[in-house]
Amino acid sequence: EKNIMLTTDLVNAALGLIGSDRIENPKLVNPFVPGALGYRSTEPDILLTNDRDDDEPRDRISIEVQHEDKRVFKDRLVLYVARLTSNMARKGEKPRLENLNVVGFQFFDAFPESANYRHTVQLRNQEQQVYFDRQTVTLIEVEKFFKNSERFAGDSSRLAQWLRAIDALNREAAFREFANAPVSRGLQNW
């Protein structure tokens, strides 16, 4: 709870949100999502909500960190999206779906043929037109970012700053290389 603004900055960076699209009013919520049909419950690592104007649907942001390339991860991810979406509908009320963003930080390749380390997955038709824009899965291939450090050396995006800063924290390295980055100043107090 005390680091909610750091978490929010990381999520904004992962989702590429800037300006008025940024998450500004985050609230941590209980990540437990009850199971249905006898299947086990879902529990993302972190679950946030973000209220917007009355005309706009609220945002629901699920953050998942996955270290192992388990064969069922893709299935689990699709199940997370379905569970989080169905949990938005209230019995006896007309469904008003919120914006759902599932952010997955993966330490394995989801798209081995792609040179990118950040991927946006949405429901699209055969002409690549987005069918439903309020449901997005963003996958960050952390391992790919570091394995190809030369390729991404010039990447100064907020997300790249975050990945480098978290890596420095994990290695217990000094923040000298990121001393001027706002991410590092915030993480030093984390």
Side-chain angles (χ1 to χ4, degrees), residues 4 11 26 44 57-58 77 89 137 140-141 148 160 176 182-183:
I4 188 75
V11 168
R58 180 171 74 163
L77 198 55
V137 175
I140 312 298
E141 295 174 308
N148 300 294
R176 285 186 305 241
V183 169

Side-chain angles (χ1 to χ4, degrees), residues 11 14-15 61-65 101-105 136-138 140:
V11 168
L15 296 174
I61 304 102
S62 171
I63 304 165
E64 177 72 23
V65 178
N101 287 288
V102 176
V103 180
F105 290 92
T136 304
V137 175
T138 302
I140 312 298

Side-chain angles (χ1 to χ4, degrees), residues 17 56-59 97-101 120-124 129-137:
L17 299 177
E56 297 275 331
R58 180 171 74 163
D59 296 312
L97 298 182
E98 302 166 353
N99 294 315
L100 174 62
N101 287 288
T120 302
V121 180
Q122 289 183 306
L123 190 58
R124 296 174 183 266
Q129 298 168 325
V130 175
Y131 177 72
F132 187 70
D133 68 350
R134 286 186 279 144
Q135 200 174 63
T136 304
V137 175

Side-chain angles (χ1 to χ4, degrees), residues 1-12 22-26 158 162:
E1 188 74 40
K2 69 179 183 171
N3 295 311
I4 188 75
M5 294 320 291
L6 284 172
T7 303
T8 303
D9 192 69
L10 173 61
V11 168
N12 281 324
R22 289 179 58 82
I23 296 164
E24 299 284 341
N25 305 304
R158 191 70 167 171
W162 265 106

Side-chain angles (χ1 to χ4, degrees), residues 30-186:
N30 182 352
F32 177 77
V33 179
L37 304 173
Y39 192 75
R40 67 183 196 172
S41 303
T42 301
E43 194 164 335
D45 293 326
I46 299 173
L47 188 59
L48 300 170
T49 59
N50 181 56
D51 292 329
R52 297 208 178 260
D53 296 333
D54 290 336
D55 297 339
E56 297 275 331
R58 180 171 74 163
D59 296 312
R60 186 174 296 224
I61 304 102
S62 171
I63 304 165
E64 177 72 23
V65 178
Q66 188 68 32
H67 290 277
E68 296 179 26
D69 182 10
K70 297 183 180 173
R71 293 181 185 257
V72 298
F73 182 67
K74 286 182 183 178
D75 291 347
R76 270 190 28 222
L77 198 55
V78 170
L79 182 61
Y80 280 2
V81 170
R83 279 277 167 73
L84 289 163
T85 302
S86 67
N87 196 34
M88 293 177 199
R90 303 284 178 245
K91 188 174 182 177
E93 294 179 19
K94 182 180 175 182
R96 178 171 157 81
L97 298 182
E98 302 166 353
N99 294 315
L100 174 62
N101 287 288
V102 176
V103 180
F105 290 92
Q106 299 182 173
F107 289 82
F108 54 89
D109 285 350
F111 298 93
E113 303 300 316
S114 173
N116 297 315
Y117 66 90
R118 180 184 177 275
H119 306 276
T120 302
V121 180
Q122 289 183 306
L123 190 58
R124 296 174 183 266
N125 72 0
Q126 66 272 17
E127 283 99 25
Q128 297 304 308
Q129 298 168 325
V130 175
Y131 177 72
F132 187 70
D133 68 350
R134 286 186 279 144
Q135 200 174 63
T136 304
V137 175
T138 302
L139 300 174
I140 312 298
E141 295 174 308
V142 178
E143 190 173 279
K144 184 184 283 184
F145 179 80
F146 289 112
K147 276 185 178 176
N148 300 294
S149 56
E150 301 89 34
R151 182 186 316 148
F152 300 119
D155 186 342
S156 61
S157 68
R158 191 70 167 171
L159 178 57
Q161 288 180 36
W162 265 106
L163 293 175
R164 291 181 187 113
I166 291 169
D167 181 57
L169 267 178
N170 285 338
R171 291 182 290 112
E172 298 180 5
F175 276 96
R176 285 186 305 241
E177 56 199 287
F178 309 108
N180 294 324
V183 169
S184 297
R185 288 195 298 272

